[in-house]
Amino acid sequence: MEINLISTQELDTILSVNNAEPPIETNSNETYINALSIGKSTIFDNYQVKINLNNFFGYHFAVFGNTGAGKSNTIANIIQKIFSKTNRSASGAHIIMLDSNGEYDKAFNKIPVINPEIRYRNIKIGNSDDLPKVFQIPVWALSVDDWAILLNASEKTQIPVIRRAIQIVKAFNSDNNEIINKLKNHIIASTIIGIATNSDSSPSSSDKMKSLITRYCTDELNPETIIQLEKPVEIAKNDKRSRLTLMQAVSTYFGQLVVVDKLVQLCQTYICKEDLFTSINQIQDIVFDFSDFIEAMKFAILYEGSVSSQRVQEYTAPMMSRLQSLSESAMGAIFGKTEFSTTADYVDHLVKENQLVNIDVSSIDDSTGEVLIRVLSKMILDFQKMRKQRTHTDSELNETEDKGPQTESIYPINLIIEEAHRYVADLDCNNKVTT
């Protein structure tokens, strides 16, 4: 039996990395990168281990190694090489680097000087006086799970309130239609009934209802809504009235709420038995700001207290304190309304104009970083899915009309997360976070 040592050329063929840097044209001295060396093999002497660029960036990849082994250096070196090549420049690539240690800007900031076709943007997350503009993630893109991470919310008592708050803030910031308006009236009416009939003092209940109908109202339920009374009630000395506005009805007179029965009767006409909340769950890209969400959380606590346990305010007090602290902190400034009305516009603006974006998250804590990465990753994935679906649909229409495809351009986006284990939670078989 004859045994031969494998040759370098044979290894390249097996690994599909031969022709690593072929000429652009026959007899041309200018070349482009097809495969890239990432180091020497520990098994085959002097063999340069290469990666096929299309295969490497066309699929998920991970770089493992002990501390100091050169993981960051390997990634930086790969990106530098593919973008520094001026012939057949990688101008169609779009790479987002999430930099957990603030070390990649030094490796990338010279690339546009070497290759003017490549546009590079470095984004520093966090509070810094030398930053011209704070980078923000759309607060309206955060999910229930994202808020639960930020607020360290408990599953049984606090997460349901977050879910309800998202539904409320969406409902009261979306365009009106019949179902949405019925949902708004249902939420307001249910909450007023719960507050008016609970065991709190009349002045306390009155303050809550006044605040509620001032901040949240509809054409049917608002401070000026008229309540017709069967017999006049005295609201001041020598002042009896047979009709009151809703604001007057939720006010106290002589220390008491005087028309509770009539107030409840009015509100019951707007209570819906069918589940209207499912309709709001399907609506995407409802724009609101951080303060809108805080007010919706307060409303959600009142609502949940009216339909379930009155102790919900006690259970959620620590979470509300964390939410208020977050809104006033530098970390909270990361999550804002932004200038964009859809997640697609946001991603397009972030990625399209730049081939390389480095997002430095070294100044923020891991929980904030985890939410930022979760939201950004989901928006990018949804963005690509939407573009792919539109291209497929438009192509079918164009084929029917015997026209060539005329669609929005789809471009590749690679998201690279440095020290991903810090931000990507482990899930058990029931999709619950484990530690």
Side-chain angles (χ1 to χ4, degrees), residues 236-250:
K237 189 174 182 180
N238 299 323
D239 185 2
K240 289 188 176 183
R241 300 190 184 185
S242 57
R243 47 186 277 162
L244 298 174
T245 65
L246 183 56
M247 181 61 78
Q248 291 171 331
V250 300

Side-chain angles (χ1 to χ4, degrees), residues 100-320:
S100 61
N101 294 313
E103 58 189 2
Y104 282 98
D105 183 46
K106 291 180 180 178
F108 297 156
N109 60 22
K110 296 292 191 298
I111 291 176
V113 178
I114 298 170
N115 186 358
E117 291 186 24
I118 302 303
R119 292 180 297 275
Y120 166 66
R121 180 185 178 191
N122 183 57
I123 298 170
K124 175 76 174 176
I125 304 293
N127 189 22
S128 177
D129 294 336
D130 59 356
L131 294 179
K133 187 178 180 181
V134 176
F135 175 79
Q136 289 188 317
I137 289 286
V139 68
W140 39 269
L142 270 62
S143 68
V144 175
D145 291 338
D146 298 328
W147 282 112
I149 293 169
L150 281 176
L151 302 178
N152 193 25
S154 61
E155 185 173 352
K156 290 185 178 179
T157 58
Q158 295 176 344
I159 289 180
V161 173
I162 295 175
R163 182 175 292 106
R164 190 67 75 204
I166 291 176
Q167 293 169 333
I168 288 172
V169 76
K170 279 186 173 183
F172 283 89
N173 285 276
S174 63
D175 294 332
N176 255 340
N177 61 44
E178 184 179 353
I179 294 177
I180 295 299
N181 200 56
K182 284 176 67 176
L183 175 60
K184 291 178 182 179
N185 285 327
H186 170 82
I187 296 170
I188 295 170
S190 298
T191 308
I192 289 175
I193 291 172
I195 296 172
T197 58
N198 69 15
S199 58
D200 289 350
S201 66
S202 291
S204 174
S205 296
S206 175
D207 288 343
K208 290 177 182 178
M209 288 186 287
K210 284 180 180 178
S211 175
L212 174 65
I213 63 174
T214 301
R215 179 82 167 90
Y216 298 98
C217 56
T218 63
D219 290 341
E220 295 79 18
L221 291 173
N222 60 72
E224 301 304 317
T225 297
I226 297 297
I227 300 178
Q228 194 69 42
L229 306 176
E230 294 176 358
K231 59 181 181 179
V233 295
E234 187 173 9
I235 64 171
K237 189 174 182 180
N238 299 323
D239 185 2
K240 289 188 176 183
R241 300 190 184 185
S242 57
R243 47 186 277 162
L244 298 174
T245 65
L246 183 56
M247 181 61 78
Q248 291 171 331
V250 300
S251 299
T252 56
Y253 303 99
F254 310 106
Q256 297 296 320
L257 293 166
V258 297
V259 289
V260 172
D261 291 344
K262 203 65 180 174
L263 182 62
V264 170
Q265 184 180 341
L266 168 72
C267 290
Q268 282 176 338
T269 61
Y270 294 102
I271 301 298
C272 296
K273 293 183 178 180
E274 67 266 32
D275 183 10
L276 298 175
F277 286 101
T278 54
S279 60
I280 200 68
N281 291 335
Q282 310 303 319
I283 303 176
Q284 301 296 323
D285 292 337
I286 303 297
V287 178
F288 54 86
D289 61 25
F290 209 122
S291 62
D292 291 330
F293 183 73
I294 292 176
E295 292 302 317
M297 283 285 283
K298 295 175 183 176
F299 192 174
I301 291 169
L302 292 175
Y303 176 82
E304 289 298 314
S306 70
V307 298
S308 56
S309 171
Q310 291 187 9
R311 296 187 64 188
V312 68
Q313 192 159 359
E314 175 187 340
Y315 298 147
T316 55
M319 180 177 65
M320 286 302 298

Side-chain angles (χ1 to χ4, degrees), residues 56 61-65 70-72 74-75:
F56 185 73
F61 66 83
V63 179
F64 297 99
K71 301 182 295 296
S72 299
T74 298
I75 291 297

Side-chain angles (χ1 to χ4, degrees), residues 391-407:
T391 299
H392 178 72
T393 303
D394 290 351
S395 295
E396 288 182 344
L397 291 173
N398 288 328
E399 286 174 8
T400 303
E401 298 172 3
D402 295 325
K403 295 179 181 179
Q406 297 175 343
T407 63

